[in-house]
């Protein structure tokens, strides 16, 4: 053993060695951190050697702390990029992308100013795990964007730095709400994480972030952050929710869209007319027992019900439009006019068709009033709850609900073909404007 403590410049005597880190790339390179808080010295002391300890370069000292707060506990070198260093101090985590020449404090996800006592890099997921004193374990998901911050990239106006492959985790239900005393952390987002770099804050013009499928169709537009530096945006990997007819009850399942199929998607960022793109691979959960073909069958079935919701909504639009026109015409007639009763009777028939589509009282199954919309929502929720191949009875049920909607549509069309012309004739005799039939619209 050789005592090299005297080779370290500007280090007071009797300093506690809090950490020694051997380089992952070079045998003669090592990092050392020193702790002098017991002397009342709260400054960081971090040094690097490249010649087995003969000479040392200061990375942070009391004379030049480089913006670092708190005495040093641990210093780690990245497993992939030698110049990427992580430093845990009494007051948080600091990161350097240039070998310790400059440091920046990590504040992602509101990470507190807490003592970071140890650090570990997980090679498979490229995650950084932090052990704190009194605030538990924290995980910085995917540090590959930090590895991508090269001098060339830092000069670009905007650039994608990571959209790592994502697995669509199997959805689970259950659990309960935790109180303040529950020592649990948040799960990673059940979404794809897209990271991009901006050299300066975006100030003028629109910045647009879109996701396109393999055919070039824009499947989603995401809110793009305008901040400088690294920006992370999550994408839920879902189609837009269906348009559900209004009713007295909430269609719980109809509040979300089906999860998109596994495959390769394109993320496109448009900033000041300049377009940047990157690819994003979406795959199945490794634990899934079903195949991608099963997932496609489930997605196709869900989209059929999604379309059925749209067709129900289109019919409801026509019904509500007609009833609004009837109400307006009736209100313009004088009190006691016989036409008012004729309009009211016809409106009752139209409302009867509406009641075949949606429930009109609250309570759902308790009241026993579940109509076409409620049955559609139940089927939609059942298909979304399992991403494997749907059952044959579910496919048959889709067809049954379509036939039921066709029957309701036929009833409404008959009212337009027979009852509405008769009402319009009565209106003409009283010098009133006829009520035009509401046109069929696409969803």
């Amino acid at each position: 053993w050789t005592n090299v403590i005297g080779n370290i410049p500007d280090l007071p005597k009797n300093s506690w060695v809090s950490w020694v880190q051997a380089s992952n790339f070079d045998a003669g390179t090592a990092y050392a951190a020193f702790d002098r808080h017991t002397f009342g010295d709260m400054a960081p002391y971090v040094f690097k050697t490249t010649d087995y300890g003969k000479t040392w370069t200061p990375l942070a000292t009391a004379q030049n702390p480089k913006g670092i707060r708190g005495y040093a506990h641990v210093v780690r070198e990245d497993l992939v990029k030698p110049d990427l260093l992580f430093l845990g101090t009494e007051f948080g985590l600091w990161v350097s992308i240039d070998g310790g020449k400059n440091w920046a404090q990590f504040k992602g996800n509101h990470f507190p100013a807490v003592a970071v006592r140890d650090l570990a890099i997980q090679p498979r997921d490229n995650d950084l795990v932090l052990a704190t004193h009194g605030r538990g374990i924290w995980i910085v998901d995917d540090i590959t964007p930090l590895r991508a911050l090269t001098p060339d990239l830092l000069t670009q106006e905007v650039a994608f730095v990571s959209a790592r492959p994502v697995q669509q985790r199997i959805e689970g239900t259950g659990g309960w709400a935790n109180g303040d005393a529950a020592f649990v952390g948040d799960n990673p987002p059940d979404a794809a994480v897209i990271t991009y770099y901006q050299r300066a804050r975006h100030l003028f013009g629109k910045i647009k972030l879109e996701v396109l499928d393999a055919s070039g169709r824009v499947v989603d537009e995401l809110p793009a952050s305008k901040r400088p530096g690294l920006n992370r945006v999550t994408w839920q990997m879902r189609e837009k929710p269906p348009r559900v007819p209004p009713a007295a009850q909430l269609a719980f399942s109809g509040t979300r869209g089906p999860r998109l199929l596994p495959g390769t998607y394109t993320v496109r960022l448009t900033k000041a007319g300049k377009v940047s793109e990157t690819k994003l691979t979406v795959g199945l959960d490794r634990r899934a027992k079903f195949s991608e073909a099963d997932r496609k069958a489930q997605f196709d079935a869900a989209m059929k019900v999604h379309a059925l919701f749209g067709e129900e909504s289109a019919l409801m639009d026509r019904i509500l439009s007609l009833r609004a026109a009837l109400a307006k015409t009736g209100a313009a007639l004088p009190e006691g006019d016989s036409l008012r009763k004729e309009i009211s009777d016809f409106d009752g028939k139209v409302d009867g068709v509406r009641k075949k589509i949606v429930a009109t009282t609250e309570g759902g199954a308790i009241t026993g009033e579940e109509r076409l919309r409620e049955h559609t929502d139940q089927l939609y929720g059942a298909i979304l709850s399992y991403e494997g191949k749907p059952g044959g009875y579910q496919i048959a049920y889709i067809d049954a609900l379509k036939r039921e909607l066709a029957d309701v549509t036929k009833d409404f069309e008959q009212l337009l073909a027979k009852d509405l012309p008769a009402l319009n004739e009565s209106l003409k005799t009283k010098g009133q404007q006829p009520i035009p039939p509401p046109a069929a619209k696409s969803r």
Side-chain angles (χ1 to χ4, degrees):
W1 291 88
T2 302
N3 190 341
V4 299
I5 194 68
N7 301 339
I8 301 178
D10 300 324
L11 180 67
K13 291 184 178 181
N14 302 318
S15 298
W16 178 269
V17 183
S18 59
W19 201 270
V20 175
Q21 173 71 43
S23 171
N24 299 310
F25 303 92
D26 180 64
T29 298
Y31 303 84
F34 299 86
D35 171 4
R36 291 185 48 80
H37 83 278
T38 56
F39 295 92
D41 185 353
M42 299 297 179
Y45 291 89
V46 186
F47 299 85
K48 176 184 179 181
T49 179
T50 57
D51 54 9
Y52 297 93
K54 293 178 183 178
T55 60
W56 293 82
T57 302
L59 305 184
T61 61
Q63 292 77 16
N64 185 14
K66 299 181 180 179
I68 299 170
R69 293 177 55 245
Y71 47 94
H73 289 298
V74 54
V75 58
R76 289 281 191 191
E77 183 186 59
D78 184 39
L79 303 179
V80 175
K81 184 179 179 182
D83 283 342
L84 179 57
L85 303 178
F86 302 98
L87 176 65
T89 79
E90 183 66 11
F91 297 130
L93 173 68
W94 270 259
V95 182
S96 174
I97 61 173
D98 56 9
K101 295 176 183 177
N102 299 279
W103 295 89
Q105 186 177 6
F106 177 82
K107 297 181 180 180
N109 202 29
H110 307 292
F111 182 66
V114 64
V116 176
R117 297 286 182 87
D118 201 353
L119 298 166
I121 299 172
Q122 302 299 314
R124 190 188 74 174
D125 297 321
N126 297 313
D127 295 340
L128 178 66
V129 184
L130 286 62
T132 74
H133 178 68
R135 295 297 292 269
I137 299 291
W138 289 67
I139 301 176
V140 181
D141 293 319
D142 191 16
I143 60 173
T144 54
L146 296 174
R147 294 169 179 164
L149 293 180
T150 62
D152 289 340
L153 185 135
L154 293 175
T155 62
Q156 298 183 35
E157 286 294 326
V158 64
F160 285 105
V161 290
S162 178
R164 70 174 177 180
V166 61
Q167 292 181 344
Q168 294 179 330
R169 293 201 301 272
I170 296 173
E171 294 184 328
T173 57
W176 52 85
N178 291 307
D180 291 338
F183 296 97
V184 295
D186 294 331
N187 283 321
D190 187 17
V193 179
I194 301 162
T195 310
Y196 60 93
Y197 166 81
Q198 290 193 106
R199 188 169 61 87
R201 180 176 179 81
H202 182 79
L203 296 176
F204 304 105
K206 184 178 180 181
I207 179 170
K208 185 165 62 173
L209 187 61
E210 301 168 297
V211 182
L212 296 78
D213 63 13
S215 69
R217 177 177 71 99
V218 176
V219 296
D220 208 347
E221 183 172 341
L222 309 175
S225 171
K226 298 181 179 180
R227 294 186 301 104
L230 290 176
N231 293 271
R232 276 187 167 167
V233 179
T234 57
W235 174 46
Q236 299 300 319
M237 301 176 287
R238 289 187 177 276
E239 289 279 358
K240 294 189 181 301
R243 195 164 72 92
V244 179
Q249 303 168 20
L250 179 65
F252 291 97
S253 300
T255 57
R256 60 177 184 162
R259 193 149 62 168
L260 289 161
L261 292 171
T264 300
Y265 293 83
T266 300
V267 185
R268 183 169 66 194
L269 179 68
T270 305
K271 174 183 168 74
K274 180 183 177 182
V275 176
S276 303
E277 292 186 345
T278 189
K279 297 296 182 182
L280 172 62
T281 302
V282 176
L284 291 177
D285 192 315
R286 289 190 294 262
R287 302 164 296 176
K289 302 300 182 184
F290 45 80
S291 65
E292 290 194 10
D294 295 334
R295 268 286 283 119
K296 186 175 187 311
Q298 182 265 354
F299 178 78
D300 291 344
M303 289 305 294
K304 287 181 180 179
V305 186
H306 189 286
L308 180 60
F309 267 131
E311 292 166 7
E312 294 169 2
S313 296
L315 178 57
M316 180 62 72
D317 289 344
R318 299 177 68 198
I319 292 172
L320 296 178
S321 174
L322 179 57
R323 293 195 71 202
L326 291 170
K328 182 179 179 180
T329 301
L333 294 172
E335 291 287 342
D337 195 310
S338 60
L339 260 180
R340 279 198 164 198
K341 184 177 186 308
E342 192 172 344
I343 291 174
S344 177
D345 291 344
F346 180 65
D347 180 69
K349 293 179 181 180
V350 176
D351 193 40
V353 176
R354 181 179 74 94
K355 291 178 179 179
K356 293 179 181 180
I357 303 173
V358 298
T360 55
T361 56
E362 297 181 2
I366 298 174
T367 65
E369 189 190 16
E370 291 182 339
R371 300 295 183 247
L372 178 59
R373 169 190 177 272
E374 287 68 44
H375 294 155
T376 304
D377 188 58
Q378 291 168 8
L379 175 60
Y380 186 64
I383 293 175
L384 292 188
S385 67
Y386 175 63
E387 293 187 332
K389 186 177 181 180
Y393 73 96
Q394 292 176 320
I395 303 300
Y397 197 13
I398 297 174
D399 294 334
L401 292 176
K402 284 184 175 181
R403 289 193 297 270
E404 186 176 342
L405 177 61
D407 291 340
V408 176
T409 304
K410 184 178 179 181
D411 293 342
F412 183 64
E413 295 293 352
Q414 287 180 344
L415 290 177
L416 297 181
K418 297 179 180 180
D419 295 57
L420 182 59
L423 175 62
N424 282 334
E425 285 298 324
S426 299
L427 289 172
K428 288 180 182 179
T429 60
K430 294 293 184 74
Q432 299 292 327
Q433 290 293 323
I435 299 173
K441 297 179 181 178
S442 62
R443 63 186 178 89

